[in-house]
Amino acid sequence: MTQVSVAVEIDAPPERVWEVISAPKNLPHWQRHISRVIGAPRNGLRQGTTYAIELRFLAVRAKVRALVLEWDPPRRVSVELSGVIDGSVTSTVEPIGRGRSRLEHVVDYRFRGGRLGSVAAGSLRTVGGARYVLRNGTLAQKREIETGRAG
């Protein structure tokens, strides 16, 4: 497994940060490789919830199953991924005073073998690597939270 992490400070209280980052429907706003989210419940997530993420790598599409392992609003969520990418995403929100928060994402991942896994891994390398993609996505979240505008 490979691990990447990114942390940012956000000019918003933890509840506002959580409201934005905990909604799977927002994932395509922050990551251009995510084309859509399938089956996420409208009434919110909880431990044990499953949904799917459709990824797009060049002309190839793949689905990744997501299972919510830990759900502790507005502090922490951990999601297990399985499919072309196996791993986990853990997001932590901490208050840092004066209505500000620290948001950290930790991603452990590995691509499955085979052609699709090779295409996905190559695409990730082409755009700058996992840390670059995670950092850009986290900064997009920060902008959305602070300005109220997606993407």
Side-chain angles (χ1 to χ4, degrees), residues 13-149:
E15 295 77 16
R16 171 69 183 138
V17 174
W18 185 263
E19 177 185 329
V20 173
I21 70 151
S22 67
K25 69 177 181 166
N26 292 332
L27 289 168
H29 299 180
W30 312 314
Q31 295 294 339
R32 67 184 180 101
H33 291 293
I34 298 175
S35 56
R36 68 185 177 131
V37 175
I38 305 158
R42 293 184 189 271
N43 59 349
L45 301 178
R46 63 179 176 264
Q47 188 172 345
T49 300
T50 61
Y51 56 95
I53 301 164
E54 185 179 83
L55 300 173
R56 182 184 62 239
F57 299 102
L58 305 171
V60 178
R61 292 186 187 270
K63 286 185 185 168
V64 173
R65 180 178 177 265
L67 167 64
V68 179
L69 297 176
E70 181 182 356
W71 183 255
D72 184 19
R75 292 176 284 283
R76 186 176 167 93
V77 59
S78 184
V79 177
E80 177 184 75
L81 305 174
S82 59
V84 66
I85 299 172
D86 288 333
S88 65
V89 178
T90 301
S91 302
T92 306
V93 181
E94 299 173 331
I96 56 174
R98 297 185 179 177
R100 301 184 76 230
S101 303
R102 179 180 185 274
L103 169 62
E104 179 181 37
H105 297 298
V106 177
V107 179
D108 291 294
Y109 73 96
R110 73 177 170 85
F111 288 99
R112 285 201 178 168
R115 184 174 179 272
L116 189 55
S118 294
V119 168
S123 178
L124 187 60
R125 280 191 303 274
T126 299
V127 299
R131 186 166 195 305
Y132 177 81
V133 170
L134 181 60
R135 178 145 183 83
N136 281 349
T138 304
L139 291 174
Q141 289 176 324
K142 175 181 168 67
R143 282 189 301 276
E144 183 171 338
I145 293 162
E146 291 179 345
T147 67
R149 291 190 309 257

